[in-house]
Amino acid sequence: MKNMIKAKKKYGQNFLKDSSILDKIVQSMPTNTKHIVEIGPGLGDLTDKLVKYKDVTAYEIDTDLVSILKSKFAIQIHSKKLKLIHTDVLKIWNEKDTLHDGNYDLIANLPYYIATNIILRAYEDRNCKNIIVMMQKEVALKFVAKTDCKEFSSLSVLTKLFSSEARILFDVPSQSFVPPPKVTSSVLFISKSKHIKVDDDFKKFLKISFSQPRKKLIKNLSVMVDKNIIISIINELELNENIRPHQVSASLYSQLYIKVKNAKRDSTN
Ligand code: SAM
């Protein structure tokens, strides 16, 4: 491999080596945001294309890669076109609530082991405006799934709440990477709408709602409040008592949450 670097599995390293795919990602960038945050620049192939268009802040965890990147991009780092930060990106999000002080788009070939977590953190980051990321296709489908599809999940509900648009731009075969991953990848585009705050209890509520995805929603929610109360809430919302978790829309989940929360409060008073 180029630079004689051995890909580290623990950091989810699959380097994208297909120049036509890299070009397609760059061409998909929205034009209105001026700054880009890249998570995991790796050997810098995507970074190299991104810095030609916009200023980039890149977060890389791997010490060996950081030293390669520092020499490869010495000019861009010196001219401040590229800010290279050697760290675990999740640590930054734990310490501060944003990856960049100013609006930015997140563009990355994500390390798959933390891809979902990264997108959920980006939803909460008020400065992140658009997300264009490569990830495992199977997981990407969960983010964009519509109500009634079997992939519809808590990730789909959260995406509906945080975004104005979410779609898969294109798939990328495993041969485009070195080393090739075992799965097909997809490039996902998410445009965030206004910044909203989703409370942690709502996320827990979604987790419980989808805990057994093929069972009835009533059964899943019965661990929170008495089953008869859940049945009356389901009836109030004019939903079918046999409804499964993937058949309820994001806006109905918001309404259900408030009613279940109130019922829970009343039952403990
Ligand atoms: N962007 C490169 C490319 O397209 O070829 C590399 C992509 S590779 C799938 C994922 C990159 O994320 C690797 O460079 C890896 O070291 C880096 N990475 C993994 N975990 C990270 C973390 N917690 N914080 C920052 N970078 C991380």
Side-chain angles (χ1 to χ4, degrees):
M1 180 188 293
K2 201 176 156 190
N3 298 317
M4 299 308 285
I5 275 282
K6 195 172 176 322
K8 297 184 181 87
K9 238 186 178 162
K10 68 170 176 176
Y11 291 145
Q13 291 175 355
N14 300 97
F15 300 105
L16 181 57
K17 287 297 172 191
D18 184 330
S19 190
S20 66
I21 303 282
L22 289 164
D23 286 336
K24 268 174 93 172
I25 294 175
V26 172
Q27 281 153 18
S28 317
M29 286 193 303
T31 48
N32 45 353
T33 319
K34 291 197 169 51
H35 198 88
I36 291 168
V37 168
E38 186 188 7
I39 295 175
L43 292 167
D45 296 66
L46 179 59
T47 322
D48 193 35
K49 297 199 183 264
L50 295 175
V51 281
K52 292 197 168 77
Y53 293 92
K54 298 184 186 188
D55 292 350
V56 177
T57 300
Y59 292 90
E60 176 56 62
I61 197 169
D62 185 342
T63 313
D64 296 332
L65 292 177
V66 168
S67 69
I68 291 170
L69 292 163
K70 271 187 181 160
S71 69
K72 179 170 178 173
F73 293 106
I75 295 171
Q76 292 88 338
I77 291 170
H78 181 73
S79 66
K80 299 197 163 49
K81 287 277 315 158
L82 173 66
K83 185 172 172 189
L84 178 64
I85 302 174
H86 179 196
T87 188
D88 175 348
V89 72
L90 296 178
K91 211 173 130 235
I92 301 294
W93 261 322
N94 287 339
E95 288 163 4
K96 300 166 68 182
D97 49 12
T98 185
L99 295 184
H100 175 69
D101 295 325
N103 291 351
Y104 74 86
D105 289 342
L106 173 63
I107 305 194
N109 170 17
L110 292 177
Y112 292 177
Y113 74 108
I114 45 169
T116 296
N117 201 349
I118 286 174
I119 295 178
L120 295 179
R121 299 305 282 266
Y123 282 170
E124 308 270 358
D125 185 330
R126 67 185 182 284
N127 292 332
C128 179
K129 299 298 165 197
N130 298 290
I131 301 170
I132 299 180
V133 288
M134 173 108 67
M135 63 191 305
Q136 192 178 333
K137 179 175 181 172
E138 204 187 314
V139 183
L141 286 170
K142 293 188 181 191
F143 278 93
V144 301
K146 303 266 182 292
T147 315
D148 276 332
C149 294
K150 72 176 190 331
E151 290 87 2
F152 193 77
S153 67
S154 56
L155 296 177
S156 330
V157 176
L158 289 172
T159 300
K160 262 263 161 274
L161 296 178
F162 278 103
S163 72
S164 53
E165 190 186 349
R167 61 195 161 96
I168 288 182
L169 294 179
F170 52 89
D171 291 344
V172 182
S174 60
Q175 311 86 273
S176 304
F177 302 87
V178 178
K182 290 198 175 67
V183 292
T184 300
S185 304
S186 295
V187 175
L188 178 65
F189 172 76
I190 298 166
S191 182
K192 284 174 62 192
S193 40
K194 59 185 183 309
H195 184 67
I196 56 162
K197 183 92 191 94
V198 170
D199 78 55
D200 287 344
D201 285 343
F202 180 65
K203 289 184 205 155
K204 280 185 208 144
F205 169 77
L206 287 179
K207 211 167 176 187
I208 294 169
S209 301
F210 284 92
S211 56
Q212 301 185 82
R214 302 291 153 239
K215 296 268 185 271
K216 290 179 194 168
L217 182 62
I218 287 179
K219 180 171 187 331
N220 291 346
L221 288 177
S222 300
V223 301
M224 294 188 76
V225 271
D226 184 82
K227 192 175 172 183
N228 290 325
I229 297 178
I230 299 292
I231 292 173
S232 70
I233 292 175
I234 291 277
N235 287 328
E236 254 177 71
L237 291 171
E238 295 179 3
L239 294 169
N240 186 309
E241 289 184 16
N242 294 324
I243 203 160
R244 314 280 151 163
H246 69 283
Q247 296 173 312
V248 177
S249 69
S251 63
L252 274 170
Y253 269 113
S254 303
Q255 294 180 47
L256 258 172
Y257 167 64
I258 292 166
K259 287 184 183 290
V260 172
K261 192 168 86 167
N262 291 343
K264 214 173 151 202
R265 188 200 53 212
D266 294 347
S267 69
T268 51
N269 280 343

